[in-house]
Amino acid sequence: MENHGRVMYELAGSMFPICRSITGNGFRKSLQMLKDVVPEIQMHEVPSGTQVFDWTVPKEWNIRDAYVETKDGEKVIDFTKTNLHVLGYSVPVDQWVSREELFSHLYTQPDQPDWIPYVTSYYKERWGFCVSENQKKTLNDEEYHVVIDSTLEDGSLTYGDLVIKGDSDDEILLSTYLCHPSMANNELSGPVVQLELIKYIQSLSHRRYTYRFVFIPETIGSITYCSQHLEELKAHVKACFVLTCVGDDRDYSIIESRYADSLTDRVLRNVLRFHYPDYKTYSFLERGSDERQYGSPGVDLPVCGVCRTKYHVYPEYHTSADDMSLISPEGLNGTYEMMVKVINALEYNYHYVVACCGEPQLGKRGLYPTISQKGSYNAVKATVDLLAYADGRNDLIGISDLIHQPVDVLIPIINKMRANDLLRVKELE
Amino acid sequence: MENHGRVMYELAGSMFPICRSITGNGFRKSLQMLKDVVPEIQMHEVPSGTQVFDWTVPKEWNIRDAYVETKDGEKVIDFTKTNLHVLGYSVPVDQWVSREELFSHLYTQPDQPDWIPYVTSYYKERWGFCVSENQKKTLNDEEYHVVIDSTLEDGSLTYGDLVIKGDSDDEILLSTYLCHPSMANNELSGPVVQLELIKYIQSLSHRRYTYRFVFIPETIGSITYCSQHLEELKAHVKACFVLTCVGDDRDYSIIESRYADSLTDRVLRNVLRFHYPDYKTYSFLERGSDERQYGSPGVDLPVCGVCRTKYHVYPEYHTSADDMSLISPEGLNGTYEMMVKVINALEYNYHYVVACCGEPQLGKRGLYPTISQKGSYNAVKATVDLLAYADGRNDLIGISDLIHQPVDVLIPIINKMRANDLLRVKELE
Amino acid sequence: MENHGRVMYELAGSMFPICRSITGNGFRKSLQMLKDVVPEIQMHEVPSGTQVFDWTVPKEWNIRDAYVETKDGEKVIDFTKTNLHVLGYSVPVDQWVSREELFSHLYTQPDQPDWIPYVTSYYKERWGFCVSENQKKTLNDEEYHVVIDSTLEDGSLTYGDLVIKGDSDDEILLSTYLCHPSMANNELSGPVVQLELIKYIQSLSHRRYTYRFVFIPETIGSITYCSQHLEELKAHVKACFVLTCVGDDRDYSIIESRYADSLTDRVLRNVLRFHYPDYKTYSFLERGSDERQYGSPGVDLPVCGVCRTKYHVYPEYHTSADDMSLISPEGLNGTYEMMVKVINALEYNYHYVVACCGEPQLGKRGLYPTISQKGSYNAVKATVDLLAYADGRNDLIGISDLIHQPVDVLIPIINKMRANDLLRVKELE
């Protein structure tokens, strides 16, 4: 276990300094680092100007340097210290401006005066810098030299995906984004956990479901992806997870689907209630990441968000304080293990039907205590309850919910019952 | 606003002294006073003896005078002081009776000893007087002269109605009764508010629904009305409101429909939860006015009762204390404004469907903040949530309930979205 | 009332000493004692080795004597004192054994050191004795003579049943078991109450339902019975009650059916909520008697368990402390009366429909107060509410639940309304 966490944490650390955005070389380089680990990941480029649903793929943004300099040549704001200093998607600028004009291009988070906020202006051309409120107070010169060495030009939007075939065309979709600059929990935790889950799925000797993994820029990326794969997604996706902010050590959170009734909701609630009972539930009204797009009318995928502490909720969110100290190997590994439980529950989530009429005689198969005394029944309660609700009406998650037994307690019982020909699987007949 | 309340209060005051009953000239005169304001109201007469469902229209009752007189010629009970002194539907009498016999014809409310109770005997021929318990104690003479100058003869039952056509044959039915003598909240508040709502509906430049307004005597009136209009009511009425006891300043109350699941219930709960969150809900088991008839098996209209403090519940109910001091311009106006919100919610209550696939790009239409920073999303949350649930599954009331936004917040957004061709209306296609 | 309770208690007392088991003469003799009271009960024998669903009818067990003797000829454990001393289904033994070997065949309940536990080994051949933990501590000799004079041979399983025809083929099934040795609540209370209910059903001049009463050994008996009557049970049984532990004076308990939604659940909840509001509800997960079999997948009868304090829950359960002092005439009679209410509710449980359109005029039939004054309505509220929900959608239990009136308040009203031709019965048209 420690191993998975350490591997994920180290990869996140090496990706941390890159200046990512929704397009450009920062995103490409980050995706390549994932592909270096799992070469099967496919990279795709979608040209600027491509119509995607109601949206248009924007110009590509790249940046080399940026700073604010005093007359004395002192760089008082310096992109090389942290790329959060630049307003995302800033157009190029190189001029002397008054303090007043500079201030009209400065973004701060006054209620968190020590931290640099993360701010972007994707869909309106602007230039700007982001600083802490306290740093802003030190800027007392009359004039400043502002330089942003960026380009905003026709290019393309990049994304990656990987489809791993299973027995069925039914798909489980996992999606995460890769477009934020130097932030740890609200950027790198999702991709590194998803990468580890790819390795887990690849390691399985047998898969019921086909698994689709998607790495995109947030919002415009999920719109683009859905626009270009709508028919197959609608036909095949049975459960869809958006992974983000999954690297800290705090409680788990889920963002429910539009009506909180999908298989995705059911499997998450089931796993979390038994194993992480302090988890938090947020309704679809509190969505904010790609579940907004995957779950929008017309797309209608059965999507939930999966977080530890949710974006918007933890104080370091979208600031320079969301750094590598906010996440941990244990935090990343916890999400990984939780999602492995989710995947196992889905793989076993059939409608089971007891093969005989009435309760089977477990005793003659050595599966029931031969002495009947007060309390002897407890040892086989999970088995007997599983069989009682294996009436074809409930899938495994439903049975688990009904009989208050975790799916991982039930899986070995199912295997034993199937070995004894006592359970049939409706879907496999 | 003050204006509406004042107009309603003054009309109620001028109608207060009239001795109304379920038939007769008191009812007719009161209805005429409403018709003087809105001449489009139609008056109808249904002859005594007409079979209406399981009931028969009773004889018509009229009264000119009534009193109880001592040997000294002192009128110790006097109809001209308040018409509540006469048992409703009293047959004529003119005779000397012992104190004991008089007492067998006296009705009091012993637990409210200062107030004269309102008592009737519509369906069994009797004569009687109603007095306060304290007044009764002062009646110590041996003999009294009792006089009731009334008639109970074949005639007719009177009611009024008005249908105001809209685009659709679908109807909203509002009904109130006009048969109680000198009581303010539990009589005149309903008719004057309903009259003001007629003026509001008449003032609308455009109406989706057809509106039907009914002024009847309680119980026998709604039975008569339903009996004579059953087919059209069952075919067209989509929501039905019985207005009574709507003039005091206390909380709002609703009496739910038989299964609490009608459009009427839904719109009332929606408006009240956002604007009058202290409102009270009574089940259909606590019904007591014309919702009993409109909602009875075979009639089955989707009816709710609408009150401020409910009949039976406020202490002055059915006594002489229910006078003009119990109601107020503000109380009447509050109900009027609440019902205007209800009507607006109904008029806009379509199934909306977002016109594109995926979330529309609001930014390019100037409907979304161009700077993305923590908190910037809040300004458009109602819009984005409305669009998320505009999937064709929910009507506007349903969306409002789901996204916790009042309908009046949503109506301007809907208008803006439709102006941008971002929302379709299922019912209008 | 006292009479029923006394009759039941005395019969239980006379059956108490018999050594019953799932097969054999103890069961037969006990069933014969019931048949002596109600000769119509049929006795059936099913041969050992018969295949019943997934099970096989076991060999027949009979026992004449059993003891553990010291060298001095002292019987330190003696079957004639209480038959609980023998492990149920013990194979014969007659030999000298060391104290150590004896102890490996001794069963105690260490947490209840004064009581002898009830222990069986039906499906694995063993011999053994049951003693109190304290008695075990006194056994300090080196050697003991152990004698069990039993036989375990091909024979048959015995059960009894009785079908009492009603107007309809629809059946109410009541089942109880008769296989436990000397225990009072968890054995004899069920059969004696069921016998008294047979007498009640026989006494009815008219029955809507057919009633089926079953007396079986627990588990293997219900499996056998279902296996041999599956088609007719599935076709006809509308409600099914397993009676056990119904003789003490404590609260009532129900064990819900698999989805807690059957007619059986509904009628029990309805009767108990009004008359015994402190009753306890246990889910199907806490089943443990024949409801396990009647309610298993493939059999699928609408079965609930009925207890006073539930098996497993009361401390004397399955020990020598469950003796005749634990049950009482009042306790038995309480269950009897509760089940009579259940049967009456079922007999009247039709879908009623008011015969006219709108609320009937009760006044002209003398069924409504002729004076209308505050509070006069209360006297007829149950009637008016019954009529309001007699819309064909609800059966009587449903109406009772909806209008919060016990079924026994509604039955005389229904009779009065039907005498006035105001109610139709959907099922009888």
Side-chain angles (χ1 to χ4, degrees):
Chain A
M1 157 199 133
E2 192 53 23
N3 201 28
H4 288 296
R6 179 57 51 196
V7 165
M8 291 186 274
Y9 188 79
E10 281 173 9
L11 178 59
S14 67
M15 297 168 76
F16 186 79
I18 300 170
C19 183
R20 283 164 292 270
S21 187
I22 55 173
T23 62
N25 294 324
F27 188 100
R28 257 177 223 112
K29 182 174 170 188
S30 299
L31 183 56
Q32 183 60 50
M33 290 176 75
L34 302 176
K35 191 168 160 63
D36 289 345
V37 179
V38 177
E40 294 85 351
I41 294 172
Q42 303 294 307
M43 288 182 70
H44 305 269
E45 301 285 342
V46 182
S48 302
T50 304
Q51 186 73 17
V52 286
F53 292 150
D54 190 49
W55 299 58
T56 308
V57 173
K59 289 179 180 165
E60 180 175 328
W61 184 65
N62 284 293
I63 183 164
R64 278 152 301 276
D65 197 8
Y67 52 86
V68 174
E69 196 178 26
T70 62
K71 280 199 171 145
D72 303 340
E74 187 196 359
K75 288 185 175 172
V76 291
I77 303 175
D78 187 352
F79 172 80
T80 64
K81 289 196 182 151
T82 169
N83 51 45
L84 288 174
H85 274 317
V86 170
L87 175 74
Y89 255 60
S90 278
V91 294
V93 66
D94 181 351
Q95 63 184 90
W96 284 89
V97 296
S98 69
R99 182 171 172 269
E100 188 183 1
E101 188 177 351
L102 172 62
F103 272 31
S104 75
H105 291 267
L106 276 194
Y107 297 89
T108 67
Q109 193 76 29
D111 57 334
Q112 300 178 318
D114 289 329
W115 298 345
I116 308 163
Y118 167 55
V119 189
T120 63
S121 179
Y122 296 138
Y123 299 102
K124 174 161 177 168
E125 299 199 355
R126 278 192 181 94
W127 64 264
F129 290 89
C130 305
V131 292
S132 72
E133 182 70 15
N134 287 336
Q135 186 180 1
K136 182 178 174 184
K137 287 179 183 153
T138 67
L139 301 177
N140 294 316
D141 288 13
E142 291 298 297
E143 278 197 306
Y144 289 95
H145 183 202
V146 295
V147 174
I148 297 180
D149 179 12
S150 68
T151 52
L152 185 60
E153 306 173 324
D154 280 348
S156 59
L157 174 153
T158 309
Y159 72 79
D161 67 356
L162 171 57
V163 175
I164 304 176
K165 287 302 230 174
D167 288 348
S168 159
D169 287 340
D170 291 345
E171 282 188 15
I172 309 301
L173 170 56
L174 291 97
S175 179
T176 193
Y177 54 84
L178 191 54
C179 60
H180 290 41
S182 293
M183 290 184 293
N185 199 26
N186 184 17
E187 186 41 272
L188 297 165
S189 65
V192 299
V193 169
Q194 181 156 306
L195 194 74
E196 208 66 17
L197 289 169
I198 292 177
K199 288 153 71 181
Y200 173 73
I201 294 295
Q202 288 179 324
S203 77
L204 294 178
S205 61
H206 172 266
R207 284 177 294 274
R208 168 188 180 183
Y209 282 108
T210 293
Y211 288 82
R212 181 184 294 260
F213 297 90
V214 174
F215 300 88
I216 43 178
E218 204 178 10
T219 303
I220 187 66
S222 43
I223 289 166
T224 299
Y225 197 84
C226 290
S227 167
Q228 303 204 330
H229 302 80
L230 188 62
E231 233 172 296
E232 61 191 283
L233 294 177
K234 292 187 80 127
H236 299 310
V237 173
K238 301 304 172 202
C240 175
F241 304 86
V242 168
L243 299 178
T244 176
C245 306
V246 293
D248 62 305
D249 291 328
R250 296 174 280 205
D251 282 347
Y252 293 90
S253 308
I254 59 175
I255 299 104
E256 297 177 321
S257 71
R258 200 151 88 227
Y259 296 103
D261 59 354
S262 73
L263 175 59
T264 319
D265 296 87
R266 294 178 63 235
V267 70
L268 283 170
R269 281 196 294 255
N270 178 275
V271 167
L272 289 165
R273 90 164 43 142
F274 289 114
H275 297 287
Y276 315 91
D278 294 331
Y279 79 100
K280 293 193 172 53
T281 301
Y282 296 90
S283 92
F284 194 64
L285 296 179
E286 299 175 86
R287 73 201 178 286
S289 182
D290 287 314
E291 64 275 7
R292 261 174 82 172
Q293 310 308 325
Y294 288 122
S296 62
V299 180
D300 298 313
L301 297 186
V303 63
C304 290
V306 175
C307 305
R308 295 201 64 142
T309 39
K310 187 178 162 285
Y311 50 82
H312 298 163
V313 172
Y314 66 93
E316 303 87 351
Y317 170 75
H318 271 203
T319 73
S320 54
D322 185 352
D323 60 20
M324 288 300 292
S325 69
L326 190 65
I327 67 173
S328 70
E330 293 72 23
L332 294 163
N333 194 66
T335 307
Y336 169 77
E337 294 203 332
M338 188 271 278
M339 286 302 296
V340 166
K341 282 184 197 296
V342 163
I343 289 165
N344 288 345
L346 288 169
E347 289 280 314
Y348 269 89
N349 189 45
Y350 291 109
H351 287 75
Y352 297 96
V353 189
V354 72
C356 63
C357 196
E359 198 176 288
Q361 188 174 10
L362 298 172
K364 71 184 180 189
R365 297 174 178 91
L367 302 171
Y368 205 86
T370 55
I371 281 285
S372 169
Q373 184 172 358
K374 273 207 235 199
S376 58
Y377 175 66
N378 293 339
V380 287
K381 184 158 170 44
T383 301
V384 174
D385 286 347
L386 168 69
L387 293 170
Y389 286 90
D391 56 9
R393 181 165 154 178
N394 312 294
D395 59 14
L396 179 60
I397 294 167
I399 292 178
S400 166
D401 286 343
L402 281 165
I403 73 173
H404 311 311
Q405 300 281 356
V407 163
D408 15 13
V409 166
L410 298 180
I411 287 175
I413 297 173
I414 286 170
N415 289 335
K416 211 188 292 178
M417 292 297 117
R418 292 191 68 189
N420 279 274
D421 290 324
L422 286 174
L423 275 184
R424 296 185 293 110
V425 176
K426 252 168 105 169
E427 285 86 347
L428 301 182
E429 289 176 350
Chain B
M1 158 198 131
E2 192 52 24
N3 202 30
H4 288 295
R6 178 59 50 197
V7 165
M8 291 186 275
Y9 188 80
E10 282 172 7
L11 178 59
S14 66
M15 297 168 75
F16 186 80
I18 300 170
C19 182
R20 284 164 291 271
S21 187
I22 55 172
T23 60
N25 293 324
F27 188 98
R28 256 177 225 111
K29 183 172 172 191
S30 300
L31 183 56
Q32 183 59 51
M33 289 175 76
L34 301 176
K35 190 168 160 63
D36 289 346
V37 180
V38 176
E40 294 86 350
I41 293 172
Q42 304 295 308
M43 288 182 71
H44 306 270
E45 301 284 345
V46 182
S48 301
T50 304
Q51 185 74 18
V52 286
F53 292 149
D54 190 51
W55 299 58
T56 309
V57 173
K59 290 181 180 165
E60 180 175 328
W61 185 65
N62 283 293
I63 183 163
R64 281 152 299 274
D65 197 6
Y67 51 86
V68 174
E69 198 178 27
T70 63
K71 280 201 169 142
D72 302 342
E74 186 196 359
K75 289 186 174 170
V76 292
I77 302 176
D78 187 350
F79 172 79
T80 65
K81 290 198 181 147
T82 170
N83 51 45
L84 287 175
H85 273 318
V86 169
L87 175 74
Y89 256 62
S90 278
V91 294
V93 67
D94 181 351
Q95 62 183 88
W96 283 89
V97 296
S98 69
R99 182 170 171 273
E100 188 183 2
E101 187 177 353
L102 173 62
F103 273 30
S104 75
H105 291 266
L106 276 194
Y107 298 88
T108 67
Q109 193 76 26
D111 57 334
Q112 299 178 321
D114 288 330
W115 298 345
I116 308 163
Y118 167 55
V119 189
T120 63
S121 180
Y122 295 138
Y123 299 101
K124 172 161 179 166
E125 297 200 355
R126 279 194 180 91
W127 65 264
F129 289 89
C130 305
V131 292
S132 74
E133 182 70 17
N134 287 337
Q135 187 179 359
K136 182 179 175 183
K137 289 181 180 148
T138 66
L139 302 178
N140 295 317
D141 288 15
E142 292 298 299
E143 276 196 308
Y144 289 94
H145 183 201
V146 294
V147 174
I148 296 180
D149 178 11
S150 68
T151 53
L152 185 60
E153 306 174 325
D154 280 346
S156 61
L157 174 153
T158 310
Y159 71 81
D161 68 356
L162 172 56
V163 176
I164 304 177
K165 286 300 228 176
D167 288 348
S168 160
D169 288 340
D170 290 345
E171 283 188 13
I172 309 301
L173 170 56
L174 290 96
S175 179
T176 193
Y177 55 82
L178 192 55
C179 60
H180 289 42
S182 292
M183 290 183 293
N185 198 27
N186 185 18
E187 186 41 274
L188 297 164
S189 65
V192 300
V193 169
Q194 182 157 305
L195 194 74
E196 208 65 16
L197 289 169
I198 292 177
K199 288 153 71 180
Y200 173 73
I201 294 295
Q202 288 179 323
S203 77
L204 294 176
S205 61
H206 173 266
R207 285 176 293 275
R208 167 187 180 182
Y209 282 109
T210 292
Y211 289 82
R212 181 184 295 259
F213 297 91
V214 174
F215 299 89
I216 43 179
E218 205 179 11
T219 303
I220 186 65
S222 43
I223 289 165
T224 300
Y225 197 84
C226 290
S227 166
Q228 302 203 330
H229 301 81
L230 188 62
E231 233 172 297
E232 61 192 282
L233 294 177
K234 291 186 79 124
H236 298 311
V237 172
K238 302 302 172 202
C240 175
F241 303 86
V242 168
L243 298 178
T244 175
C245 305
V246 293
D248 62 306
D249 291 329
R250 295 173 281 205
D251 282 345
Y252 294 90
S253 308
I254 58 176
I255 299 103
E256 297 176 321
S257 71
R258 199 150 88 227
Y259 295 103
D261 59 354
S262 74
L263 176 59
T264 319
D265 296 86
R266 292 178 63 234
V267 71
L268 283 170
R269 280 197 294 256
N270 178 275
V271 167
L272 289 164
R273 91 162 46 142
F274 288 113
H275 298 289
Y276 314 92
D278 294 331
Y279 79 100
K280 293 193 173 53
T281 301
Y282 296 91
S283 93
F284 194 66
L285 296 179
E286 298 174 86
R287 73 203 179 283
S289 183
D290 287 313
E291 65 275 7
R292 259 175 82 174
Q293 310 308 325
Y294 288 122
S296 62
V299 180
D300 298 313
L301 297 187
V303 63
C304 290
V306 175
C307 304
R308 294 201 63 140
T309 37
K310 187 178 161 286
Y311 50 81
H312 298 161
V313 172
Y314 65 95
E316 304 88 350
Y317 170 76
H318 272 204
T319 74
S320 54
D322 184 352
D323 61 19
M324 289 300 292
S325 70
L326 190 64
I327 66 172
S328 70
E330 294 72 24
L332 295 162
N333 194 66
T335 307
Y336 169 77
E337 295 204 329
M338 188 272 278
M339 286 302 296
V340 166
K341 282 184 197 294
V342 164
I343 289 165
N344 289 345
L346 288 169
E347 289 280 315
Y348 269 89
N349 190 43
Y350 291 109
H351 286 76
Y352 296 96
V353 190
V354 72
C356 63
C357 196
E359 197 176 289
Q361 188 175 10
L362 297 171
K364 69 184 181 191
R365 296 173 178 92
L367 303 170
Y368 204 86
T370 56
I371 281 285
S372 168
Q373 184 173 358
K374 274 206 234 198
S376 58
Y377 175 67
N378 294 339
V380 287
K381 182 157 170 45
T383 302
V384 175
D385 286 347
L386 167 69
L387 293 170
Y389 286 90
D391 56 8
R393 180 163 154 179
N394 312 294
D395 60 14
L396 180 60
I397 293 166
I399 292 177
S400 166
D401 288 342
L402 280 166
I403 74 174
H404 311 311
Q405 299 282 356
V407 163
D408 15 13
V409 166
L410 298 180
I411 287 175
I413 296 174
I414 285 169
N415 290 334
K416 210 187 294 177
M417 292 298 116
R418 291 190 67 189
N420 279 274
D421 291 324
L422 286 175
L423 276 184
R424 298 184 292 111
V425 177
K426 251 168 105 170
E427 285 87 347
L428 301 181
E429 288 179 352
Chain C
M1 157 198 132
E2 193 53 24
N3 203 27
H4 288 295
R6 178 59 49 196
V7 165
M8 290 185 276
Y9 188 80
E10 281 172 7
L11 179 57
S14 67
M15 296 168 77
F16 186 80
I18 300 170
C19 183
R20 284 166 291 272
S21 188
I22 55 172
T23 61
N25 292 324
F27 188 100
R28 257 177 223 111
K29 181 171 172 192
S30 299
L31 183 57
Q32 183 59 50
M33 290 176 75
L34 302 176
K35 191 168 161 62
D36 289 344
V37 180
V38 177
E40 294 85 352
I41 295 172
Q42 303 295 308
M43 287 182 72
H44 305 270
E45 301 285 343
V46 182
S48 301
T50 304
Q51 185 74 16
V52 287
F53 291 151
D54 190 50
W55 300 57
T56 308
V57 173
K59 290 180 179 166
E60 180 176 328
W61 184 65
N62 284 292
I63 183 164
R64 280 153 300 275
D65 197 7
Y67 52 85
V68 173
E69 195 177 28
T70 63
K71 279 198 170 146
D72 302 341
E74 186 195 359
K75 288 186 175 171
V76 291
I77 302 176
D78 187 351
F79 172 79
T80 65
K81 290 199 180 147
T82 169
N83 51 44
L84 287 175
H85 273 318
V86 169
L87 175 74
Y89 256 61
S90 277
V91 293
V93 66
D94 182 349
Q95 64 185 89
W96 284 90
V97 296
S98 68
R99 182 172 172 268
E100 188 182 359
E101 187 177 351
L102 173 63
F103 272 30
S104 75
H105 290 266
L106 276 194
Y107 298 88
T108 68
Q109 193 76 27
D111 56 333
Q112 299 179 320
D114 288 328
W115 298 345
I116 307 163
Y118 167 54
V119 188
T120 63
S121 180
Y122 296 137
Y123 299 102
K124 172 161 179 166
E125 298 199 356
R126 280 195 180 89
W127 64 264
F129 288 89
C130 304
V131 292
S132 72
E133 182 69 17
N134 288 336
Q135 186 179 2
K136 182 179 175 184
K137 288 182 182 147
T138 66
L139 301 178
N140 296 316
D141 287 13
E142 292 298 297
E143 277 195 310
Y144 289 96
H145 183 201
V146 294
V147 174
I148 297 181
D149 179 13
S150 67
T151 52
L152 185 59
E153 306 173 324
D154 278 347
S156 61
L157 175 153
T158 310
Y159 70 81
D161 69 356
L162 171 57
V163 175
I164 304 177
K165 284 303 231 174
D167 289 348
S168 160
D169 288 340
D170 290 344
E171 283 187 14
I172 309 301
L173 169 57
L174 290 96
S175 180
T176 194
Y177 55 83
L178 191 56
C179 58
H180 289 42
S182 292
M183 290 183 292
N185 200 26
N186 185 16
E187 186 42 88
L188 297 165
S189 65
V192 299
V193 168
Q194 181 157 306
L195 193 75
E196 208 64 18
L197 289 169
I198 292 178
K199 288 152 72 179
Y200 174 73
I201 294 295
Q202 287 180 324
S203 77
L204 293 178
S205 62
H206 172 266
R207 285 177 292 275
R208 167 187 180 184
Y209 283 108
T210 292
Y211 288 82
R212 181 185 294 260
F213 296 91
V214 174
F215 299 89
I216 44 179
E218 205 178 11
T219 304
I220 187 67
S222 43
I223 289 166
T224 299
Y225 197 83
C226 291
S227 166
Q228 301 203 331
H229 301 81
L230 187 64
E231 233 172 297
E232 62 191 284
L233 294 176
K234 290 186 81 126
H236 300 309
V237 172
K238 301 304 173 201
C240 174
F241 303 86
V242 168
L243 299 178
T244 175
C245 306
V246 293
D248 61 306
D249 291 329
R250 297 173 278 205
D251 283 345
Y252 294 91
S253 307
I254 57 175
I255 298 102
E256 298 176 321
S257 71
R258 201 151 85 226
Y259 296 103
D261 59 354
S262 74
L263 176 59
T264 319
D265 296 87
R266 292 178 62 234
V267 71
L268 283 169
R269 280 196 295 256
N270 179 276
V271 167
L272 289 165
R273 89 162 47 142
F274 289 114
H275 298 289
Y276 314 92
D278 294 331
Y279 79 100
K280 291 192 174 53
T281 301
Y282 295 90
S283 92
F284 194 65
L285 296 179
E286 298 176 86
R287 73 203 178 286
S289 181
D290 287 314
E291 64 275 7
R292 259 175 82 172
Q293 310 308 326
Y294 288 122
S296 62
V299 180
D300 298 313
L301 297 186
V303 62
C304 289
V306 175
C307 305
R308 295 199 66 138
T309 38
K310 187 178 162 285
Y311 51 80
H312 298 163
V313 171
Y314 65 94
E316 304 87 352
Y317 170 75
H318 271 203
T319 73
S320 52
D322 185 351
D323 61 21
M324 288 301 292
S325 69
L326 189 66
I327 67 173
S328 70
E330 294 71 25
L332 294 163
N333 194 67
T335 307
Y336 170 76
E337 294 204 330
M338 188 272 279
M339 285 303 297
V340 165
K341 282 184 195 296
V342 164
I343 288 166
N344 289 345
L346 288 169
E347 288 281 313
Y348 270 88
N349 190 42
Y350 290 109
H351 286 76
Y352 296 96
V353 190
V354 71
C356 63
C357 196
E359 197 176 289
Q361 188 175 9
L362 297 171
K364 70 183 180 190
R365 297 173 177 92
L367 302 171
Y368 205 86
T370 55
I371 281 285
S372 169
Q373 185 173 356
K374 271 207 239 200
S376 57
Y377 175 66
N378 294 339
V380 287
K381 183 157 170 47
T383 302
V384 175
D385 286 347
L386 168 69
L387 293 170
Y389 285 90
D391 56 8
R393 180 164 152 178
N394 313 295
D395 59 15
L396 180 59
I397 294 167
I399 291 177
S400 165
D401 287 342
L402 280 166
I403 74 174
H404 312 312
Q405 300 281 357
V407 163
D408 16 11
V409 166
L410 298 180
I411 287 175
I413 297 174
I414 285 170
N415 289 334
K416 211 189 291 177
M417 292 298 117
R418 292 191 67 187
N420 279 275
D421 291 324
L422 285 175
L423 275 185
R424 299 185 291 110
V425 176
K426 252 168 105 169
E427 285 87 347
L428 302 181
E429 289 178 352

